[in-house]
Amino acid sequence: MLRDMASGAKEDSGETGGADAAPGGGTAAGDGTAGPAGAGTASTGKARRAPAGAAVLREDVTEAIRAAVFAELAAVGYGRMSIEGVARRAGVGKTAVYRRWRSKLHLVLDLVSEIALQGLPAPDTGSLETDLHLLYEVASRALRHPAASQIVPDLFAEAARNTDLQEALEKALREAQRSVAQGVLDAAAARGEIRAALDRDLALDLITGPLYWRVLVVRTRTKRGYPAALAKAVAAGLRSA
């Protein structure tokens, strides 16, 4: 589906097949138009001019680039992925990519951060165990997706060689996914299921660690019922801590 999204991007003179210059290359073409010609007049009667760099970024092109990034990461990995390859797959010029992201690193990190923030629910079922169960069900399905199962381990392997990528990945995942787990803990403490003084860092490690270890490190498929069993065990541990 991602490949279809990338190849189906609409073309126009500002976004597709355009100049391949990186930022600062002097091209004036925008994503669309900076505004209707002559729109609005000042009191002097002179037509207003859109400020330099006021091109409108087309959402369909942005989405095609995002889809192309995921397809490229799954196909060739971060190390071999290039802006040229992403642009080719999306059916746009390199300039369209550079208008949105400064580099390959910024492009990938932006998408990883967005997915991390949007990919997990903030469960509020009224019970610590059922909150964890819902969280694990959604996370395990996402991590088992064919694209994710290729992309996520590759990014972590690359992060071992790339300090910038490592720091940014840790920050994105910690802020996004731990904020969800923190909400689960806060709700459980408010209901009296866990101690308010419970070591939160230790609790967060206990919540997020086991599933990632199983799916991403040892890469063992989870059996039916595993999220429920894990939720029960983690909830029991947190209550007794």
Side-chain angles (χ1 to χ4, degrees):
M1 183 175 68
L2 295 178
R3 190 182 300 272
D4 293 339
M5 289 173 60
S7 62
K10 296 179 181 178
E11 297 188 0
D12 72 15
S13 59
E15 288 281 20
T16 60
D20 285 342
T27 62
D31 287 58
T33 59
T41 56
S43 58
T44 59
K46 294 182 180 179
R48 292 180 192 164
R49 299 183 61 185
V56 177
L57 299 181
R58 285 177 44 185
E59 186 61 27
D60 63 328
V61 174
T62 301
E63 289 306 311
I65 295 171
R66 291 177 185 272
V69 171
F70 288 117
E72 282 289 291
L73 283 172
V76 302
Y78 180 86
R80 293 176 58 194
M81 191 188 90
S82 65
I83 295 296
E84 291 85 350
V86 170
R88 189 182 311 112
R89 189 181 288 269
V92 302
K94 286 193 297 183
T95 305
V97 181
Y98 280 121
R99 285 191 189 107
R100 293 161 172 81
W101 297 278
R102 294 195 312 242
S103 67
K104 178 174 77 170
L105 177 64
H106 289 90
L107 170 55
V108 170
L109 292 179
D110 179 55
L111 298 189
V112 168
S113 299
E114 181 176 339
I115 290 173
L117 285 167
Q118 296 180 357
L120 292 177
D124 187 13
T125 65
S127 162
L128 174 60
E129 184 176 329
T130 52
D131 279 355
L132 292 173
H133 185 192
L134 176 59
L135 188 64
Y136 291 146
E137 286 283 3
V138 175
S140 61
R141 282 199 298 269
L143 293 171
R144 287 198 309 267
H145 187 281
S149 65
Q150 292 176 290
I151 292 171
V152 177
D154 174 74
L155 286 177
F156 277 103
E158 184 65 32
R161 300 183 289 270
N162 185 322
T163 303
D164 290 337
L165 180 61
Q166 179 183 15
E167 292 176 354
L169 274 177
E170 289 177 355
K171 183 174 184 292
L173 294 174
R174 181 172 59 250
E175 290 182 354
Q177 298 185 17
R178 287 204 164 200
S179 66
V180 175
Q182 186 70 55
V184 170
L185 291 172
D186 288 342
R191 292 190 297 263
E193 289 190 78
I194 61 173
R195 293 187 302 108
L198 181 66
D199 185 325
R200 290 303 176 90
D201 285 336
L202 181 61
L204 290 170
D205 287 342
L206 183 59
I207 290 174
T208 59
L211 184 63
Y212 280 84
W213 170 263
R214 186 177 184 115
V215 177
L216 297 179
V217 180
V218 298
R219 307 194 73 173
T220 303
R221 282 192 65 85
T222 57
K223 298 179 180 179
R224 184 182 297 276
Y226 177 77
L230 179 60
K232 183 176 182 178
V234 172
L238 291 172
R239 292 190 191 106
S240 64

